[in-house]
Amino acid sequence: MRNPTRRGLIVAGAGVLAAPSILSSSGWAQGAFPNKPIRIIVPYPAGGQTDGIARVYGEYLGRKLGTSVVVENKGGAGGTIGVAEVKRAPPDGYTVLCTISSSLIQNRVTVKDLPYDPEKDFTYLAMTTSLGGPVVAAEKTGATNLKQFVEYAKKVDKLNFGAYGPGSTPQMLIETMARQYGFKVEVVQYRGEAAMFADVAAQALDGGAGSPAGAAAVIASGKGKAIAMMGDRLPAFPGVATMTEQGAVGGFYDTRAFAVFAVPAATPKDISRKLADTLFEAGTDEKVKALMANYLIVGPLDMEATNKVFQRDTEIMLRVMKEIGIKAE
């Protein structure tokens, strides 16, 4: 065998250096993902439940994939700004969305010229869902259950009930109740549930609805009473029956608030699957399980289950919004 020449070594070396550029069928170098930091966009302010979910799942994602993960809060316009930014991002797996149902479902009705199509613009990876959320009556109503709250609502000229955005779960809840039970309601909109529940505690509102964490302070103070649960009963409120158990009728009462991870629709399937599987595996992590228990949420659902729940809840929510006449202002 002849000894290799210097020129031959250079050519061979060039071939080796070129090898990583050979692309997989998805257009990406095999084994190359991830090779830079991943961004998780949360279209709401820092400190909320969605932000908390993004951060603890993001920490696991970075640890498992061997890269850094940065959470960026892009709040405003009911989540529209942050969601639209993810839609415009390169579909390479390095920009991930973590958002809630209102930005993907309710915004279709409440926002004119929505700058994204939730059905076509994203691939949904994994989802967490709430066990349920309390419906809270202000102390002044004297109500301790759904029947008593409805009786109070029928006595006053107009019930004042808090919500946090057009088409939000509290608004859909109380509007549906008003139609079913025959009382008048004025929905008072807030930028978030913290301010809403503060006004329930101050007796400026007759009631409100939201997450267990958000309602905890007003319930503990005695200034508000959990009269019913959306979704399932919660261990923290064992004596509080669900809306359905107390006679409320309609599929909406059994829907669950959710937080979902997504990437732009054109993201290569192998990268989407890798992210989805890793997010699903995060459910076994102790930090993740502690957060889930604290927020009283369950999951994560895998990619297939996530998409089934998303489609089911979309159909229910859009139907209810049409029935109660919610539309863009």
Side-chain angles (χ1 to χ4, degrees):
M1 179 181 293
R2 292 186 303 171
N3 291 329
T5 64
R6 181 174 181 275
R7 182 174 182 275
L9 287 172
I10 292 173
V11 172
V16 171
L17 291 173
S21 67
I22 297 173
L23 301 181
S24 70
S25 60
S26 65
W28 288 92
Q30 293 181 9
F33 179 84
N35 57 23
K36 64 179 182 179
I38 294 172
R39 294 192 305 156
I40 297 180
I41 302 295
V42 177
Y44 299 98
Q49 182 166 305
T50 311
D51 178 67
I53 291 170
R55 291 180 188 279
V56 75
Y57 274 83
E59 192 275 334
Y60 179 86
L61 196 67
R63 182 160 29 101
K64 190 73 173 180
L65 297 181
T67 190
S68 60
V69 175
V70 180
V71 175
E72 298 180 10
N73 300 92
K74 304 283 186 177
T80 300
I81 293 174
V83 177
E85 179 167 335
V86 177
K87 173 197 170 180
R88 295 191 299 267
D92 54 12
Y94 290 101
T95 303
V96 178
L97 173 68
C98 180
T99 191
I100 56 177
S101 59
S102 59
S103 66
L104 299 172
I105 301 176
Q106 288 95 316
N107 278 5
R108 303 186 204 188
V109 177
T110 61
V111 177
K112 290 182 178 179
D113 302 319
L114 191 66
Y116 52 85
D117 184 333
E119 299 288 344
K120 298 179 180 179
D121 291 338
F122 304 100
T123 296
Y124 297 99
L125 307 174
M127 175 187 288
T128 66
T129 65
S130 68
L131 285 169
V135 182
V136 181
E139 181 183 30
K140 68 178 182 179
T141 67
T144 61
N145 56 44
L146 180 59
K147 180 181 178 182
Q148 292 174 355
F149 188 64
V150 170
E151 290 173 350
Y152 172 85
K154 290 181 176 180
K155 291 177 182 177
V156 296
D157 179 55
K158 188 178 291 186
L159 188 80
N160 293 314
F161 200 86
Y164 35 86
S168 63
T169 296
Q171 177 173 2
M172 295 176 70
L173 165 75
I174 199 63
E175 296 269 18
T176 302
M177 286 175 59
R179 283 169 58 87
Q180 179 176 345
Y181 293 106
F183 58 80
K184 295 181 180 180
V185 62
E186 179 177 351
V187 178
V188 183
Q189 301 288 3
Y190 292 80
R191 295 189 66 179
E193 64 176 354
M196 177 192 72
F197 279 125
D199 273 2
V200 174
Q203 310 303 299
L205 293 173
D206 296 311
S211 70
V218 64
I219 294 172
S221 71
K223 297 298 182 181
K225 176 72 175 179
I227 60 166
M229 288 291 162
M230 285 277 291
D232 299 318
R233 289 197 185 209
L234 298 180
F237 307 98
V240 183
T242 68
M243 292 288 294
T244 302
E245 288 173 335
Q246 295 185 67
V249 178
F252 171 73
Y253 296 119
D254 293 320
T255 58
R256 310 287 191 274
F258 65 72
V260 67
F261 291 90
V263 289
T267 302
K269 290 182 179 180
D270 53 347
I271 293 177
S272 296
R273 175 58 69 176
K274 187 171 187 177
L275 288 168
D277 289 348
T278 307
L279 288 165
F280 179 65
E281 291 168 7
T284 63
D285 181 70
E286 292 303 320
K287 290 182 180 179
V288 172
K289 289 194 286 187
L291 175 100
M292 305 279 275
N294 182 52
Y295 284 159
L296 296 176
I297 54 180
V298 294
L301 303 180
D302 64 21
M303 197 175 194
E304 288 69 30
T306 291
N307 283 276
K308 287 180 181 179
V309 171
F310 180 76
Q311 290 300 323
R312 182 202 68 191
D313 284 12
T314 295
E315 292 173 6
I316 293 174
M317 290 283 193
L318 294 180
R319 173 176 55 78
V320 172
M321 292 179 78
K322 182 178 181 181
E323 288 174 354
I324 63 181
I326 295 177
K327 56 187 177 181
E329 296 180 352

